[in-house]
Amino acid sequence: MRLEEIRREFHPVLPKALRGCKLRLQEDPKGNFQAKDASVESAFPHTFHHPLLWVSTEGKEKIPPKKQTIRVGVVFSGGQAPGGHNVIAGIFDALQERFTDPTLIGFIGGPEGILENQTTLLTKEKVDLYRNQGGFDLLGSGRTKIEGKKAIEKAYQNSKDLRLQGLVIIGGDDSNTNAAVLAEAFSQKDRRIAVIGVPKTIDGDLQSDYTPISFGFHTATSVYAEMVGNIAKDASSAKKYYHFIRLMGRSASHVTLECALKTQPNFALISEECLEKKKSVFSVVEELVSLIKKRANQGKYYGVILIPEGLLEFLTDMKQLISSINEALFQGVSSVESTLQESEKKLFSALPKSIQKQLLMDRDPHGNVQVSKISTEGLLVAMVEEKLRAFPEVANKFHPASHFFVYEGRASLPSNFDANYCYSLGKIAALLLEDGKTGYMASLLHLHKPVDEWQPLALPIAKMLHTERRKGKEKLVIAKALVCFSSEAYQTFAKKRGDWELSDAYLCPGPMQFFGPSAVVDAHPFSLRKPNLGL
Ligand code: FBP
């Protein structure tokens, strides 16, 4: 039997609060959940005032009778993240438990499927095939943004034609922003089609005190850490290569931080620190050269360096350059270079041609620079080599190898953590729809504790929005959560990293495990937010 087949049989564990006979949605009695930006209210009059909801169970009550019918649509939005299929399985099972004749419809190819009415009926046979499986291949995904009156009207009309009472959007910060926009727009029409978001992204940047981490982060970082650990073993065996490893994760450095804690490389750049310390691309190169020289003094001409995918956007000089290019691109200027200031022009022309080309590429539909397409590791290697020319005794023995761990981690079989987490998220989404709630994102607190103790809840998305400049305009969006310096993960990293520079303290975590001791199979990410909410 193949592992994929064995995994299909895995029964996700539910937290106690989702296991009772009668689940209840309770308004946050403390009213602690504050809006990020009060000015959002005017744009979201129907959904802004929703309170935070807690899910609790009344296990001793009799099972309430099943309701009759419900029709729900579900869509994957944005990049793949392990566990997505379990969200669908959770929704499917919850609808079967609570309704005599439920219908779950999947939109094919992401939000585009909503606009083009591309659907598939999600039957038990189909859903069973994808339980605990990686990828998003049951439905596919896409990055189309449903924005503007015409697109929103089309999404509404198509959902109405399908007689949907609910739509679940499984996506990251931008997709959940989109869920909030649709929830508000649909509410303005007739309140009959509810929209619920689910926090997905391997980047880990959709998090808050009330969402400890997005799903997929744990699995993706486990896969990357396995590969980094293997490379570190190779480096300390061969003792001849410097590995520059860039890790996917878009802007924030959560993935790099998590992998650093799991593997203890010689050096890990954290973009947020670079921003805080106002580092330029040149000062980062200085730092790397200094590390390489220090290790050379000890006779070590090898090493492992981790680089976050979106580093360049955080370096003062590059940040400024990218922002000017963004403005020029969105104004449709034909010669972007001519609009740059002198210092920006100088930096731009000092960059390798391939990097220049990558910086000028189109932005994604949400206005983000496509950082995955900019070869930061190649740029750093080239600049370090250039600097080392002044130190021929080191340069002669400097043999760099650059890597980019990217799509390898995004579609893996989900870890037990992600399989359980996603299944619960699906259950919560279905519960919200059963109750006619709209404009909410499903979430769970206390993910660092055993599954039994996870606390399901629902966050009003409109209260998570704030204003940001995107595509040359002010937009209401959910802010990407960056690495927080007071977090336990960062503090641990900051304390230990000095020791990793010279002494090779590499860890080799090996492949993610599904069977074996609980300490291994039930592991959770180091980077979970553990807020002190008095809960
Ligand atoms: P989401 O934010 O949609 O989850 O995407 C995650 C991600 O994997 C980023 O880490 C990466 O920068 C981006 O997708 C790559 O985009 P694409 O899949 O379009 O190549």
Side-chain angles (χ1 to χ4, degrees):
M1 224 179 173
R2 289 179 302 118
L3 181 60
E4 273 169 295
E5 293 166 336
I6 295 173
R7 280 307 279 172
R8 252 180 230 133
E9 307 303 320
F10 174 73
H11 292 287
V13 186
L14 279 174
K16 256 193 200 143
L18 284 176
R19 287 205 301 253
C21 300
K22 184 157 189 266
L23 302 177
R24 217 157 52 93
L25 288 169
Q26 194 191 348
E27 290 191 10
D28 172 25
K30 293 188 188 150
N32 278 342
F33 190 69
Q34 297 298 324
K36 213 167 158 62
D37 179 349
S39 69
V40 173
E41 183 184 1
S42 56
F44 289 80
H46 296 81
T47 50
F48 183 79
H49 291 286
H50 288 349
L52 177 89
L53 297 172
W54 297 94
V55 181
S56 59
T57 180
E58 292 167 16
K60 289 196 185 99
E61 278 194 16
K62 274 215 303 233
I63 301 176
K66 283 191 180 187
K67 294 177 188 163
Q68 261 200 331
T69 60
I70 189 167
R71 292 175 66 84
V72 172
V74 61
V75 66
F76 289 129
S77 181
Q80 281 64 250
H85 290 131
N86 271 26
V87 177
I88 293 185
I91 300 172
F92 183 86
D93 291 353
L95 297 183
Q96 294 293 325
E97 283 154 18
R98 298 292 308 122
F99 294 86
T100 51
D101 185 22
T103 304
L104 184 59
I105 293 169
F107 287 101
I108 297 172
E112 185 76 19
I114 303 179
L115 298 176
E116 296 304 323
N117 218 351
Q118 294 292 314
T119 61
T120 182
L121 181 66
L122 292 170
T123 58
K124 180 169 171 2
E125 291 67 35
K126 271 190 208 160
V127 173
D128 284 352
L129 262 182
Y130 287 86
R131 286 179 193 269
N132 310 302
Q133 304 298 304
F136 280 178
D137 44 333
L138 170 59
L139 299 177
S141 187
R143 292 201 183 275
T144 299
K145 186 172 182 185
I146 303 179
E147 71 179 336
K149 262 195 179 156
K150 232 168 120 188
I152 292 175
E153 182 56 40
K154 199 153 186 215
Y156 175 74
Q157 202 48 54
N158 288 347
S159 306
K160 202 169 163 195
D161 292 347
L162 288 166
R163 290 178 288 120
L164 296 185
Q165 280 127 291
L167 173 62
V168 181
I169 298 182
I170 304 173
D173 50 325
D174 289 327
S175 309
N176 274 281
T177 299
N178 220 201
V181 170
L182 293 185
E184 177 65 32
F186 290 6
S187 296
Q188 285 176 14
K189 288 185 175 291
D190 60 11
R191 288 171 176 267
R192 258 180 256 142
I193 308 170
V195 184
I196 300 297
V198 174
K200 166 237 70 159
T201 176
I202 65 151
D203 303 347
D205 58 2
L206 177 49
Q207 58 165 274
S208 69
D209 279 353
Y210 293 85
T211 310
I213 202 74
S214 49
F215 82 73
F217 176 81
H218 181 243
T219 307
T221 52
S222 302
V223 174
Y224 295 143
E226 179 202 347
M227 297 195 287
V228 173
N230 293 350
I231 284 188
K233 267 272 181 241
D234 197 277
S236 59
S237 309
K239 300 197 187 320
K240 59 177 177 181
Y241 296 119
Y242 257 100
H243 296 276
F244 286 64
I245 308 174
R246 184 159 63 108
L247 295 168
M248 198 177 223
R250 213 188 272 281
S251 307
S253 307
H254 301 290
V255 171
T256 298
L257 177 60
E258 178 78 15
C259 289
L261 290 167
K262 283 184 164 130
T263 60
Q264 307 193 164
N266 301 110
F267 203 76
L269 285 156
I270 301 295
S271 304
E272 291 81 347
E273 255 183 8
C274 295
L275 182 71
E276 171 87 359
K277 295 184 179 154
K278 298 196 172 35
K279 289 187 187 169
S280 67
V281 67
F282 300 104
S283 57
V284 165
V285 169
E286 284 291 348
E287 240 179 315
L288 293 175
V289 167
S290 145
L291 171 85
I292 292 164
K293 280 165 51 191
K294 266 196 265 170
R295 287 181 61 83
N297 278 340
Q298 297 206 345
K300 293 181 175 175
Y301 294 92
Y302 60 92
V304 178
I305 294 161
L306 301 189
I307 306 159
E309 183 180 66
L311 174 75
L312 294 186
E313 279 188 293
F314 289 75
L315 304 177
T316 42
D317 43 2
M318 293 299 295
K319 186 173 181 287
Q320 177 59 42
L321 176 65
I322 290 173
S323 138
S324 301
I325 294 177
N326 279 352
E327 286 296 323
L329 283 179
F330 292 121
Q331 278 160 23
V333 175
S334 55
S335 161
V336 172
E337 259 187 273
S338 65
T339 64
L340 300 177
Q341 290 175 10
E342 270 322 299
S343 57
E344 294 166 355
K345 271 190 195 151
K346 218 171 136 193
L347 172 61
F348 189 74
S349 53
L351 298 172
K353 284 272 171 294
S354 56
I355 303 284
Q356 291 181 357
K357 216 167 132 197
Q358 289 157 2
L359 284 174
L360 293 175
M361 259 174 357
D362 282 346
R363 275 37 185 165
D364 81 2
H366 299 271
N368 302 306
V369 181
Q370 298 189 58
V371 282
S372 64
K373 308 252 174 357
I374 304 175
S375 170
T376 312
E377 69 284 16
L379 174 67
L380 292 179
V381 164
M383 291 178 80
V384 165
E385 272 178 327
E386 180 66 34
K387 266 258 156 231
L388 281 179
R389 277 201 202 156
F391 311 96
E393 66 294 355
V394 182
N396 288 341
K397 293 188 179 171
F398 177 67
H399 303 297
S402 50
H403 316 259
F404 181 23
F405 294 158
V406 50
Y407 302 103
E408 297 87 338
R410 259 189 3 181
S412 158
L413 285 173
S415 63
N416 281 356
F417 174 85
D418 275 325
N420 293 332
Y421 180 28
C422 289
Y423 190 69
S424 289
L425 287 171
K427 288 260 179 173
I428 300 166
L431 181 66
L432 290 166
L433 291 178
E434 182 188 345
D435 220 58
K437 298 286 188 275
T438 191
Y440 278 96
M441 186 175 84
S443 187
L444 286 136
L445 274 184
H446 306 322
L447 295 178
H448 58 290
K449 296 187 179 171
V451 182
D452 257 10
E453 295 170 48
W454 291 0
Q455 172 59 56
L457 72 162
L459 316 174
I461 311 176
K463 286 199 170 121
M464 298 162 70
L465 304 179
H466 81 152
T467 309
E468 242 175 60
R469 198 158 175 82
R470 294 273 184 97
K471 288 188 175 180
K473 285 192 191 135
E474 303 294 311
K475 295 253 173 177
L476 289 174
V477 293
I478 299 176
K480 290 188 197 304
L482 300 179
V483 165
C484 170
F485 299 133
S486 60
S487 69
E488 203 178 312
Y490 177 81
Q491 288 291 323
T492 310
F493 167 75
K495 228 179 274 162
K496 290 182 158 185
R497 64 175 154 188
D499 298 340
W500 304 342
E501 286 195 0
L502 299 179
S503 68
D504 300 337
Y506 308 134
L507 299 177
C508 191
M512 197 168 48
Q513 301 293 312
F514 300 111
F515 314 100
S518 171
V520 178
V521 297
D522 298 325
H524 57 67
F526 287 115
S527 312
L528 285 176
R529 283 267 276 258
K530 293 173 210 159
N532 182 11
L533 297 170
L535 304 162

